[in-house]
Amino acid sequence: MSERHTALRSMHDLGLAAWFGGSLMGAFGVNGAAAQMNDSTQRLPMASAGWARWTPVNAAAIGAHLAGAVGELVTESPRVAAQAGVARASTLKTALTVGALAVTGYSRLLGMKLEKAGGPPVEGVTEPNSQTPSNVASSQRQMRMLQWAVPALTGALIVVTAYMGEQQKPGEVFRGMLGRAGGMPKGMGALMAMGAAKKKRMSMSGR
């Protein structure tokens, strides 16, 4: 059975990259650019139009990431069960994914509310001014926090994914298997020490 799962890894990584990158660019680029418009009544409509065009792409990216993540979890399930630390990392990754999905979904609901608000005067896309209706201002204040929560959570997912990639190195797998088994088998430590000493002597004699 092949140990390569290039398609699953590609779906996982590309989807997550688009999810993280799109949310970060939107917060800095779309919202930041719209806030520079001179007409304060056009700031929300301009940003809403940009986010609406990105939404289908973002949904596809999230779907690809989830499909790849589930596929990887299935293919790596034997190692999750046998290698110490992998199950804990998988649990953390799942929690971060659920959190990112929840924040992304709620952010989109707020975005739709702001989109339906039309063109009220605002200071920025996530900053109301004294003339902004109270319901719009409330959604903007929530969006101000959530626009950074999505890249923070997806960025944390990238870090955890990198850590889990390190866990797949042969040395890490070996130590994790021993850890899950309750420690190094009797005599294994002595054999490893003898092997290391022999390797050192051979290295020194070859100088």
Side-chain angles (χ1 to χ4, degrees), residues 7-60:
L8 290 176
R9 290 177 182 272
S10 297
M11 292 170 64
H12 174 283
D13 294 350
L14 288 173
L16 181 55
W19 192 3
F20 168 75
S23 63
L24 193 63
M25 190 283 298
F28 275 110
V30 175
N31 291 353
Q36 299 300 313
M37 297 188 67
N38 293 327
D39 188 347
S40 64
T41 63
Q42 291 300 308
R43 292 168 185 167
L44 272 184
M46 178 61 69
S48 296
W51 282 110
R53 289 179 64 87
W54 173 246
T55 295
V57 180
N58 195 44

Side-chain angles (χ1 to χ4, degrees), residues 30-202:
V30 175
N31 291 353
Q36 299 300 313
M37 297 188 67
N38 293 327
D39 188 347
S40 64
T41 63
Q42 291 300 308
R43 292 168 185 167
L44 272 184
M46 178 61 69
S48 296
W51 282 110
R53 289 179 64 87
W54 173 246
T55 295
V57 180
N58 195 44
I62 293 173
H65 168 69
L66 293 178
V70 171
E72 282 192 353
L73 183 60
V74 171
T75 58
E76 295 290 335
S77 56
R79 195 169 59 82
V80 173
Q83 182 181 347
V86 178
R88 184 167 58 249
S90 296
T91 300
L92 174 59
K93 184 177 178 181
T94 299
L96 287 170
T97 302
V98 171
L101 284 170
V103 174
T104 299
Y106 189 61
S107 295
R108 184 53 192 152
L109 289 177
L110 288 176
M112 292 171 66
K113 287 184 179 180
L114 294 175
E115 187 176 349
K116 294 177 180 178
V122 295
E123 184 67 26
V125 177
T126 60
E127 296 81 25
N129 62 21
S130 58
Q131 297 178 307
T132 306
S134 59
N135 61 322
V136 175
S138 176
S139 295
Q140 284 184 289
R141 293 188 185 98
Q142 294 180 68
M143 186 68 81
R144 186 187 310 166
M145 295 181 294
L146 295 180
Q147 70 174 345
W148 303 115
V150 176
L153 288 168
T154 51
L157 270 173
I158 292 174
V159 174
V160 172
T161 297
Y163 173 74
M164 294 181 72
E166 293 295 306
Q167 288 182 315
Q168 296 181 27
K169 290 182 176 180
E172 291 293 323
V173 173
F174 179 70
R175 284 188 289 272
M177 295 291 187
L178 292 179
R180 179 55 61 86
M184 191 172 290
K186 186 177 180 180
M188 180 66 75
L191 287 173
M192 291 180 67
M194 290 173 61
K198 182 178 180 181
K199 184 177 180 181
K200 184 177 181 180
R201 287 196 300 270
M202 293 175 64

